[in-house]
Amino acid sequence: MVEPARQLACVLLLELFVRCLPQDVPPPTDPMFIKTLVDEHNKFRANVDPPASNMNFMVSMGLCVRGIE
């Protein structure tokens, strides 16, 4: 069982973390957001070693992909 003081501290830290998140996150359908995201993706993809065109397979972090499926 978690001590009440520790549980309260965790809740307060979580609340502080949530309040510090940016509140103006654009929706995923926003054309400017999509363009920015794709441009950044392409910039990073162009600078990987080995080159992205030479990759045999890709491993993802599951958590990011699950939300999209």
Side-chain angles (χ1 to χ4, degrees), residues 24-34:
D24 58 346
V25 176
T29 55
D30 179 11
M32 188 59 153
F33 173 72
I34 294 170

Side-chain angles (χ1 to χ4, degrees), residues 9-69:
C10 290
V11 169
L12 291 175
L13 283 172
L14 181 60
E15 176 72 19
L16 178 64
F17 174 74
V18 169
R19 288 181 185 261
C20 291
L21 291 175
Q23 300 300 316
D24 58 346
V25 176
T29 55
D30 179 11
M32 188 59 153
F33 173 72
I34 294 170
K35 180 181 180 345
T36 302
L37 185 67
V38 170
D39 289 347
E40 287 298 309
H41 166 81
N42 290 338
K43 180 175 73 175
F44 286 108
R45 187 172 182 255
N47 293 311
V48 296
D49 186 30
S53 62
N54 191 29
M55 292 184 183
N56 294 328
F57 62 93
M58 184 175 88
V59 177
S60 68
M61 293 177 53
L63 293 174
C64 297
V65 175
R66 281 189 207 130
I68 297 171
E69 292 178 61

